[in-house]
Amino acid sequence: MHNKIRKAKESDSHIVPEIMLQAMGDIIFRFIQKEDPTEAVLFLNQLFRQKGNLYSYENTFVAIDDNERIVGSLTGYDADQFVELRQPILDKMNEQYNNNLIPEAETAGDEFYIDSIAVAPIARGKGIGTQLLQYAITHAKEHGFKQVGLLVDLKNPNAQKLYERIGFKLGKKTPFAGGEYYHMYISLD
């Protein structure tokens, strides 16, 4: 099966935040200060529908299956814009949840940074994650990036293996939002 991949639209907010939460649950729960999936999806939904933030539809690609269902999403952006794109999220955390946490930077810049990638449970094991990653790598090349980077949780060796199979290399250990991750990257030169 080969899925169609396209830029997300604001109208995809009915499903993409739920898919995103699968990859970001622990982090979003820290942001909203409670382990409430419904509230976490609402938080992501608000941000997804807005322009100019890390989790915006503007920075997201979706995989569409043969039945026209969204079965996966990848959110990525120019890492040099990280601080600017993160600010609306910090503002929302503070305003809505009285949370003034400022997590460590996920990226040092100078790369196309993949913030999250997730596949709907109904579509796992069908190569959709690989397709989304390859699409993002092609997108980064076409836009002149020299590297694609992402974080992988130390407790997720299966994801690490997937990224290594595609060509990502293990970088340094990076603390983020209470967890430990590896920065992984692929050079595009």
Side-chain angles (χ1 to χ4, degrees):
M1 180 195 316
H2 190 75
N3 299 287
K4 182 172 87 175
I5 297 176
R6 65 163 168 80
K7 288 281 283 171
K9 300 181 243 181
E10 185 180 353
S11 60
D12 296 332
S13 65
H14 69 284
I15 189 67
V16 174
E18 286 179 41
I19 294 172
M20 290 170 80
L21 185 63
Q22 294 172 65
M24 304 168 58
D26 290 345
I27 293 165
I28 300 301
F29 294 152
R30 285 187 200 106
F31 288 4
I32 66 172
Q33 298 186 357
K34 55 184 152 184
E35 210 164 310
D36 180 343
T38 302
E39 182 68 24
V41 168
L42 287 172
F43 175 78
L44 284 170
N45 191 302
Q46 291 169 9
L47 292 163
F48 180 81
R49 289 184 286 119
Q50 292 175 359
K51 292 182 177 187
N53 74 77
L54 299 175
Y55 310 140
S56 172
Y57 69 92
E58 297 172 303
N59 298 319
T60 303
F61 301 104
V62 293
I64 311 290
D65 71 7
D66 294 337
N67 297 316
E68 296 299 312
R69 293 178 301 189
I70 295 173
V71 292
S73 72
L74 181 145
T75 299
Y77 42 79
D78 181 344
D80 290 338
Q81 296 177 354
F82 174 78
V83 172
E84 172 190 329
L85 292 171
R86 179 178 68 173
Q87 192 58 51
I89 294 164
L90 298 177
D91 293 344
K92 186 166 284 304
M93 286 166 47
N94 196 2
E95 291 163 14
Q96 276 185 241
Y97 303 99
N98 200 26
N99 185 356
N100 59 6
L101 170 74
I102 301 177
E104 304 84 349
E106 298 171 54
T107 174
D110 201 28
E111 65 185 2
F112 181 77
Y113 180 70
I114 297 173
D115 193 293
S116 73
I117 178 170
V119 175
I122 61 164
R124 291 205 180 123
K126 298 180 180 175
I128 295 167
T130 299
Q131 278 184 270
L132 283 164
L133 286 166
Q134 289 170 336
Y135 189 90
I137 291 166
T138 300
H139 171 84
K141 280 181 188 172
E142 289 172 352
H143 287 84
F145 289 93
K146 302 285 185 241
Q147 176 173 296
V148 176
L150 51 80
L151 290 185
V152 63
D153 193 323
L154 267 59
K155 297 179 279 186
N156 194 347
N158 290 337
Q160 182 180 328
K161 285 178 190 158
L162 166 67
Y163 303 143
E164 287 172 339
R165 225 178 19 254
I166 291 171
F168 282 83
K169 297 191 179 353
L170 209 53
K172 64 181 180 182
K173 251 187 212 179
T174 305
F176 175 66
E180 281 213 287
Y181 298 80
Y182 284 118
H183 179 265
M184 295 187 76
Y185 64 93
I186 188 169
S187 296
L188 303 179
D189 295 344

